Amino acid sequence: MALLPGPVERLAEEFARFPGIGPKTAQRMAFQACRWPEPALQALSGTIRLMAEAIGNCPICFFISDRGELCSICRQQGRQEELICVVEDPSDVLAIERTGEFRGLYHVLGAALSPLDGIGPSEIHADELVARVSGGTVEEVILATDSDVEGEATAGYLVRRLEGTPPKVTRLAHGLPVGGELAYADDRTVARAFSGRQLL
Amino acid sequence: MALLPGPVERLAEEFARFPGIGPKTAQRMAFQACRWPEPALQALSGTIRLMAEAIGNCPICFFISDRGELCSICRQQGRQEELICVVEDPSDVLAIERTGEFRGLYHVLGAALSPLDGIGPSEIHADELVARVSGGTVEEVILATDSDVEGEATAGYLVRRLEGTPPKVTRLAHGLPVGGELAYADDRTVARAFSGRQLL
């Protein structure tokens, strides 16, 4: 016999679908929601309905946007249209924008290649990237995929796909984190820092 | 300038209100929600609206119930009405029900006394407990609040409040966890296991 009312059980199941939220955390969240005042719950429900109805991806760069519209970055005046930074996820865009260092545009793949998870070339907006740079206004494509196995494989795949298109293709530098101590860096990071050493 | 559409930012803020969900996890969840298909988001929104409109507390024991109705346990036939187990949270009820050992009724305080958090006697349904046991049908009140400082203080407070009412008042046993090794138990648990030792 179910001890809890249906919506409470269901909410716990739905929260547990978010990656990183285990069944225990999901149930704690559902219990917590039982104690929220009704207006707070109605607001949360409304926000999620709005997500369902009004949020989509930018038709140019696939960053999160109001549905059917350009994203905030593609709409911004004065960005360098000749520079495109390719990232895996929208959160990467936020991380790069926080630095204030990059004034070009983005291309959000939405994932990295991962055959075991069923993510192949057609899932990462690679065709759209090739079409986008073939026009001739783009001068440089910066590959900023993660430096794990999937990210490196994705970068390698994109290098091959972009061969013969006008822009030069670069990759973000790997090396020691700024402010970090060499002794605490992992072996592969130290090795990359050596092989990428620069003349002063 | 906001980089993300309003509802995405707002959803991250709303998720971050759940205890145990930090701002980073909340933002990851909001990004994830952007990739959910529209029907899944509409379902989640609907579940939360239903929580707002149809979920409440049992008027007898304050466990979660359909609004204005008795909870599933108070409605069950054949529970021992002369036994009341007092717990802090609805999740405690689930934990005890999973054991199948207890067939009485519950009283869910909703919190433990915690003056620093502004939780005083009027926040823990103590008056309702006293009223409930004064009738005379209840023979035993089992205090099953946590064994942390707040839980012990709450148990002590309820003992005083229940003085002079008919039922006897008991407290769950503390001691070594079943299957645990003595060497790994914390000092206070070992001490409680000694002071509560039983004749074989």
Side-chain angles (χ1 to χ4, degrees):
Chain A
M1 211 208 92
L3 290 173
L4 292 166
V8 184
E9 296 269 18
R10 220 151 52 230
L11 187 59
E13 285 162 21
E14 291 179 310
F15 278 150
R17 288 204 194 114
F18 287 96
I21 303 295
K24 290 228 163 178
T25 304
Q27 187 164 73
R28 237 190 342 260
M29 289 175 73
F31 280 142
Q32 195 60 36
C34 294
R35 308 168 69 155
W36 279 24
E38 186 169 336
L41 282 173
Q42 290 286 17
L44 178 57
S45 167
T47 303
I48 294 170
R49 202 182 58 241
L50 217 56
M51 294 275 295
E53 291 165 2
I55 300 300
N57 293 316
C58 175
I60 294 179
C61 77
F62 303 100
F63 186 53
I64 297 164
S65 70
D66 292 305
R67 188 166 300 171
E69 292 184 29
L70 294 186
C71 73
S72 61
I73 293 172
C74 286
R75 275 201 325 260
Q76 258 176 47
Q77 301 282 319
R79 308 266 329 189
Q80 296 171 274
E81 295 183 18
E82 65 278 13
L83 265 180
I84 291 185
C85 179
V86 178
V87 297
E88 294 181 16
D89 295 310
S91 54
D92 299 323
V93 173
L94 296 191
I96 294 171
E97 287 295 297
R98 272 198 298 274
T99 70
E101 286 291 310
F102 179 71
R103 298 297 302 161
L105 300 175
Y106 292 93
H107 194 84
V108 180
L109 302 173
L113 288 178
S114 178
L116 287 178
D117 300 315
I119 300 172
S122 58
E123 271 73 47
I124 62 168
H125 304 304
D127 292 341
E128 291 91 337
L129 177 64
V130 173
R132 207 176 152 192
V133 305
S134 298
T137 55
V138 179
E139 292 167 10
E140 181 176 352
V141 172
I142 303 168
L143 300 178
T145 53
D146 291 345
S147 60
D148 54 12
V149 177
E150 292 82 8
E152 293 290 356
T154 305
Y157 170 77
L158 292 177
V159 166
R160 290 194 301 279
R161 287 295 307 272
L162 293 169
E163 262 172 24
T165 60
K168 66 178 172 187
V169 179
T170 59
R171 181 99 173 97
L172 283 194
H174 292 294
L176 299 172
V178 176
E181 295 189 34
L182 195 149
Y184 294 120
D186 67 288
D187 298 354
R188 292 179 56 220
T189 299
V190 175
R192 288 291 282 265
F194 265 91
S195 65
R197 67 190 182 278
Q198 297 180 326
L199 194 65
L200 297 177
Chain B
M1 213 208 89
L3 289 174
L4 293 165
V8 184
E9 296 269 18
R10 218 150 55 230
L11 186 60
E13 285 161 22
E14 290 178 310
F15 278 149
R17 288 203 195 115
F18 288 96
I21 304 295
K24 289 227 164 177
T25 304
Q27 187 164 72
R28 237 191 341 259
M29 290 175 73
F31 280 143
Q32 195 60 35
C34 294
R35 307 167 70 154
W36 280 24
E38 185 169 335
L41 283 174
Q42 291 285 18
L44 178 58
S45 167
T47 303
I48 294 170
R49 201 183 57 243
L50 218 55
M51 294 275 297
E53 290 165 4
I55 300 300
N57 292 317
C58 175
I60 293 180
C61 76
F62 303 100
F63 187 53
I64 297 165
S65 70
D66 291 306
R67 187 167 301 171
E69 292 184 28
L70 294 186
C71 73
S72 61
I73 293 172
C74 287
R75 275 202 325 260
Q76 259 176 48
Q77 301 282 320
R79 307 262 337 184
Q80 297 172 274
E81 294 184 18
E82 65 277 14
L83 265 181
I84 292 185
C85 179
V86 178
V87 297
E88 294 180 17
D89 294 311
S91 54
D92 299 324
V93 173
L94 296 191
I96 295 171
E97 287 295 298
R98 273 197 298 272
T99 69
E101 287 291 311
F102 179 72
R103 297 298 301 161
L105 300 175
Y106 292 92
H107 193 85
V108 180
L109 301 174
L113 288 177
S114 178
L116 288 178
D117 300 315
I119 299 172
S122 59
E123 271 75 46
I124 62 168
H125 303 303
D127 292 341
E128 291 90 337
L129 177 64
V130 173
R132 206 176 153 191
V133 305
S134 299
T137 55
V138 179
E139 292 167 12
E140 182 176 351
V141 172
I142 304 168
L143 299 178
T145 53
D146 291 344
S147 60
D148 54 11
V149 177
E150 292 82 8
E152 293 290 356
T154 305
Y157 170 77
L158 292 177
V159 167
R160 290 195 302 279
R161 285 297 306 272
L162 293 168
E163 262 171 24
T165 60
K168 67 178 172 189
V169 179
T170 59
R171 181 102 173 95
L172 283 194
H174 292 294
L176 299 173
V178 176
E181 297 189 33
L182 196 149
Y184 294 121
D186 67 287
D187 298 354
R188 292 179 55 221
T189 298
V190 176
R192 288 289 283 265
F194 265 92
S195 65
R197 67 190 180 279
Q198 295 180 328
L199 194 64
L200 298 178

